[in-house]
PDB file of all heavy atoms in Angstrom:
ATOM      1  N   GLU O 924     -10.324  20.151  25.757  1.00 96.00           N
ATOM      2  CA  GLU O 924     -10.006  21.252  26.670  1.00 96.00           C
ATOM      3  C   GLU O 924      -8.631  21.832  26.361  1.00 96.00           C
ATOM      4  O   GLU O 924      -8.454  23.052  26.343  1.00 96.00           O
ATOM      5  CB  GLU O 924     -10.051  20.772  28.121  1.00 96.00           C
ATOM      6  CG  GLU O 924     -11.445  20.520  28.644  1.00 96.00           C
ATOM      7  CD  GLU O 924     -11.445  19.920  30.041  1.00 96.00           C
ATOM      8  OE1 GLU O 924     -10.361  19.808  30.681  1.00 96.00           O
ATOM      9  OE2 GLU O 924     -12.541  19.546  30.497  1.00 96.00           O
ATOM     10  N   TRP O 925      -7.650  20.958  26.114  1.00 95.00           N
ATOM     11  CA  TRP O 925      -6.299  21.441  25.815  1.00 95.00           C
ATOM     12  C   TRP O 925      -6.250  22.162  24.476  1.00 95.00           C
ATOM     13  O   TRP O 925      -5.532  23.160  24.329  1.00 95.00           O
ATOM     14  CB  TRP O 925      -5.291  20.292  25.854  1.00 95.00           C
ATOM     15  CG  TRP O 925      -4.814  20.033  27.243  1.00 95.00           C
ATOM     16  CD1 TRP O 925      -5.167  18.991  28.048  1.00 95.00           C
ATOM     17  CD2 TRP O 925      -3.933  20.845  28.023  1.00 95.00           C
ATOM     18  NE1 TRP O 925      -4.546  19.106  29.266  1.00 95.00           N
ATOM     19  CE2 TRP O 925      -3.781  20.239  29.279  1.00 95.00           C
ATOM     20  CE3 TRP O 925      -3.252  22.033  27.771  1.00 95.00           C
ATOM     21  CZ2 TRP O 925      -2.975  20.779  30.286  1.00 95.00           C
ATOM     22  CZ3 TRP O 925      -2.453  22.565  28.771  1.00 95.00           C
ATOM     23  CH2 TRP O 925      -2.321  21.947  30.010  1.00 95.00           C
ATOM     24  N   VAL O 926      -6.998  21.693  23.498  1.00 95.00           N
ATOM     25  CA  VAL O 926      -7.021  22.369  22.193  1.00 95.00           C
ATOM     26  C   VAL O 926      -7.641  23.759  22.344  1.00 95.00           C
ATOM     27  O   VAL O 926      -7.163  24.729  21.749  1.00 95.00           O
ATOM     28  CB  VAL O 926      -7.770  21.512  21.146  1.00 95.00           C
ATOM     29  CG1 VAL O 926      -8.010  22.292  19.874  1.00 95.00           C
ATOM     30  CG2 VAL O 926      -6.968  20.248  20.843  1.00 95.00           C
ATOM     31  N   LYS O 927      -8.683  23.879  23.168  1.00 96.00           N
ATOM     32  CA  LYS O 927      -9.296  25.192  23.424  1.00 96.00           C
ATOM     33  C   LYS O 927      -8.315  26.145  24.088  1.00 96.00           C
ATOM     34  O   LYS O 927      -8.371  27.353  23.871  1.00 96.00           O
ATOM     35  CB  LYS O 927     -10.542  25.046  24.303  1.00 96.00           C
ATOM     36  CG  LYS O 927     -11.730  24.487  23.574  1.00 96.00           C
ATOM     37  CD  LYS O 927     -12.927  24.337  24.494  1.00 96.00           C
ATOM     38  CE  LYS O 927     -14.058  23.604  23.781  1.00 96.00           C
ATOM     39  NZ  LYS O 927     -15.172  23.285  24.699  1.00 96.00           N
ATOM     40  N   LYS O 928      -7.409  25.586  24.912  1.00 94.00           N
ATOM     41  CA  LYS O 928      -6.404  26.416  25.581  1.00 94.00           C
ATOM     42  C   LYS O 928      -5.258  26.806  24.641  1.00 94.00           C
ATOM     43  O   LYS O 928      -4.400  27.590  25.013  1.00 94.00           O
ATOM     44  CB  LYS O 928      -5.828  25.672  26.783  1.00 94.00           C
ATOM     45  CG  LYS O 928      -6.814  25.492  27.917  1.00 94.00           C
ATOM     46  CD  LYS O 928      -6.173  24.700  29.046  1.00 94.00           C
ATOM     47  CE  LYS O 928      -7.165  24.400  30.138  1.00 94.00           C
ATOM     48  NZ  LYS O 928      -6.567  23.559  31.202  1.00 94.00           N
ATOM     49  N   GLY O 929      -5.221  26.206  23.442  1.00 94.00           N
ATOM     50  CA  GLY O 929      -4.205  26.567  22.464  1.00 94.00           C
ATOM     51  C   GLY O 929      -3.173  25.506  22.163  1.00 94.00           C
ATOM     52  O   GLY O 929      -2.235  25.751  21.404  1.00 94.00           O
ATOM     53  N   ALA O 930      -3.305  24.320  22.733  1.00 95.00           N
ATOM     54  CA  ALA O 930      -2.357  23.237  22.450  1.00 95.00           C
ATOM     55  C   ALA O 930      -2.569  22.739  21.027  1.00 95.00           C
ATOM     56  O   ALA O 930      -3.695  22.625  20.559  1.00 95.00           O
ATOM     57  CB  ALA O 930      -2.554  22.094  23.437  1.00 95.00           C
ATOM     58  N   GLN O 931      -1.465  22.451  20.343  1.00 95.00           N
ATOM     59  CA  GLN O 931      -1.531  21.996  18.953  1.00 95.00           C
ATOM     60  C   GLN O 931      -1.154  20.521  18.874  1.00 95.00           C
ATOM     61  O   GLN O 931      -0.057  20.139  19.260  1.00 95.00           O
ATOM     62  CB  GLN O 931      -0.569  22.804  18.088  1.00 95.00           C
ATOM     63  CG  GLN O 931      -0.875  24.271  18.091  1.00 95.00           C
ATOM     64  CD  GLN O 931       0.200  25.057  17.351  1.00 95.00           C
ATOM     65  OE1 GLN O 931       1.296  24.567  17.119  1.00 95.00           O
ATOM     66  NE2 GLN O 931      -0.135  26.272  16.982  1.00 95.00           N
ATOM     67  N   PRO O 932      -2.057  19.665  18.364  1.00 96.00           N
ATOM     68  CA  PRO O 932      -1.706  18.250  18.215  1.00 96.00           C
ATOM     69  C   PRO O 932      -0.782  18.031  17.019  1.00 96.00           C
ATOM     70  O   PRO O 932      -0.874  18.727  16.005  1.00 96.00           O
ATOM     71  CB  PRO O 932      -3.053  17.567  17.999  1.00 96.00           C
ATOM     72  CG  PRO O 932      -3.949  18.636  17.486  1.00 96.00           C
ATOM     73  CD  PRO O 932      -3.450  19.931  18.044  1.00 96.00           C
ATOM     74  N   THR O 933       0.100  17.050  17.138  1.00 95.00           N
ATOM     75  CA  THR O 933       0.966  16.692  16.022  1.00 95.00           C
ATOM     76  C   THR O 933       0.137  15.936  14.992  1.00 95.00           C
ATOM     77  O   THR O 933      -0.952  15.446  15.300  1.00 95.00           O
ATOM     78  CB  THR O 933       2.126  15.800  16.503  1.00 95.00           C
ATOM     79  OG1 THR O 933       1.589  14.608  17.059  1.00 95.00           O
ATOM     80  CG2 THR O 933       2.994  16.516  17.519  1.00 95.00           C
ATOM     81  N   PRO O 934       0.614  15.811  13.754  1.00 96.00           N
ATOM     82  CA  PRO O 934      -0.142  15.065  12.731  1.00 96.00           C
ATOM     83  C   PRO O 934      -0.452  13.622  13.140  1.00 96.00           C
ATOM     84  O   PRO O 934      -1.533  13.111  12.855  1.00 96.00           O
ATOM     85  CB  PRO O 934       0.773  15.113  11.512  1.00 96.00           C
ATOM     86  CG  PRO O 934       1.599  16.334  11.707  1.00 96.00           C
ATOM     87  CD  PRO O 934       1.792  16.465  13.188  1.00 96.00           C
ATOM     88  N   THR O 935       0.473  12.960  13.824  1.00 95.00           N
ATOM     89  CA  THR O 935       0.242  11.587  14.264  1.00 95.00           C
ATOM     90  C   THR O 935      -0.893  11.521  15.274  1.00 95.00           C
ATOM     91  O   THR O 935      -1.759  10.647  15.196  1.00 95.00           O
ATOM     92  CB  THR O 935       1.524  11.005  14.888  1.00 95.00           C
ATOM     93  OG1 THR O 935       2.585  11.136  13.951  1.00 95.00           O
ATOM     94  CG2 THR O 935       1.341   9.545  15.253  1.00 95.00           C
TER      95      THR O 935
END
Side-chain angles (χ1 to χ4, degrees):
E924 287 175 7
W925 275 106
V926 170
K927 285 179 187 173
K928 291 178 185 177
Q931 300 173 343
T933 61
T935 305

